[in-house]
Amino acid sequence: MSTAFLIASSRPQGNTVQLANLVAEKLSRVSVFNLDDYDISVYDYEHRNRHDDFLPLIEKLVSFDHVVFVTPVYWYAMSAQLKIFFDRFSDLLTIEKNLGRKLKGLNCSVIATGSWDYPPPCFEDVFKLTFSYLGMPYQGMLYCPVDEDIDPNHSIPGISEFVARLQG
Ligand SMILES: Cc1cc2nc3c(=O)[nH]c(=O)nc-3n(C[C@H](O)[C@H](O)[C@H](O)COP(=O)(O)O)c2cc1C
């Protein structure tokens, strides 16, 4: 199984990226994409941004077996940069339908951190509903509550099961 991680955090080496790194080091075929490296603007009804980096990035992601969305919980929700990316899925339902059809069947998961013991249900609901609408099988979330820093020597509950799902 080939896996793509899509990083969407405001801290390049923050808690969420550290958690993603712990998962990535257990996988053999993983590629990492960071939204910081792409110029993707907010959804435009007139599609004047059709030549930004959204479509080329989607082209890359659909070539993997599994895409993992990596985001902290910010105000009960995914990060703003990931929400901008999700809004742009609408391009794939309008001006790029052929590319949009390639989303169908693409396995998806979420890696998240937050300061609370559990994420609010609304956090994961957005992923579940979006993936269901787009026909992308949702394989679940690895969520880690973080007080200060991720301790790489402290085992993260659920990490083995999560990795096993990514390995197919
Ligand atoms: C703007 C902002 C909003 C946050 N909102 C929440 C929240 O609603 N629930 C929560 O559990 N943690 C919240 N946190 C804490 C972060 O989710 C937590 O520190 C996370 O591990 C940060 O990951 P990062 O280092 O990748 O940014 C918030 C942090 C920030 C900076």
Side-chain angles (χ1 to χ4, degrees):
M1 292 274 278
S2 61
T3 305
F5 280 21
L6 185 63
I7 307 282
S9 170
S10 292
R11 279 203 295 190
Q13 293 305 323
N15 297 335
T16 322
V17 170
Q18 287 177 46
L19 178 60
N21 288 343
L22 291 179
V23 175
E25 68 193 22
K26 298 181 193 320
L27 299 170
S28 51
R29 294 173 64 201
V30 61
S31 299
V32 178
F33 302 87
N34 192 323
L35 282 179
D36 284 348
D37 299 330
Y38 295 87
D39 173 24
I40 296 175
S41 60
V42 295
Y43 181 72
D44 177 5
Y45 281 89
E46 308 297 326
H47 307 295
R48 286 164 297 204
N49 53 1
R50 65 171 68 210
H51 298 300
D52 73 5
D53 292 338
F54 175 72
L55 293 173
L57 179 55
I58 284 285
E59 286 275 10
K60 284 186 195 156
L61 293 179
V62 296
S63 70
F64 289 83
D65 298 312
H66 204 130
V67 176
V68 181
F69 295 91
V70 178
T71 175
V73 181
Y74 289 157
W75 289 105
Y76 315 101
M78 66 179 71
S79 65
Q81 45 273 61
L82 189 56
K83 183 60 167 62
I84 288 172
F85 181 86
F86 268 47
D87 284 359
R88 293 292 298 279
F89 282 142
S90 295
D91 286 1
L92 305 174
L93 306 173
T94 50
I95 54 167
E96 288 291 339
K97 287 184 183 171
N98 282 341
L99 182 54
R101 285 187 195 98
K102 294 185 186 170
L103 293 177
K104 207 169 164 67
L106 179 62
N107 292 294
C108 291
S109 299
V110 175
I111 288 176
T113 66
S115 53
W116 298 338
D117 286 350
Y118 300 98
C122 62
F123 175 78
E124 194 178 16
D125 281 351
V126 174
F127 290 101
K128 287 179 179 168
L129 292 165
T130 303
F131 297 148
S132 169
Y133 188 88
L134 295 170
M136 301 158 82
Y138 179 47
Q139 306 298 343
M141 174 168 70
L142 176 67
Y143 174 81
C144 181
V146 185
D147 266 343
E148 293 187 354
D149 284 322
I150 296 266
D151 178 356
N153 300 313
H154 182 265
S155 74
I156 309 281
I159 196 166
S160 307
E161 296 82 352
F162 187 81
V163 168
R165 282 202 295 275
L166 293 181
Q167 289 168 330

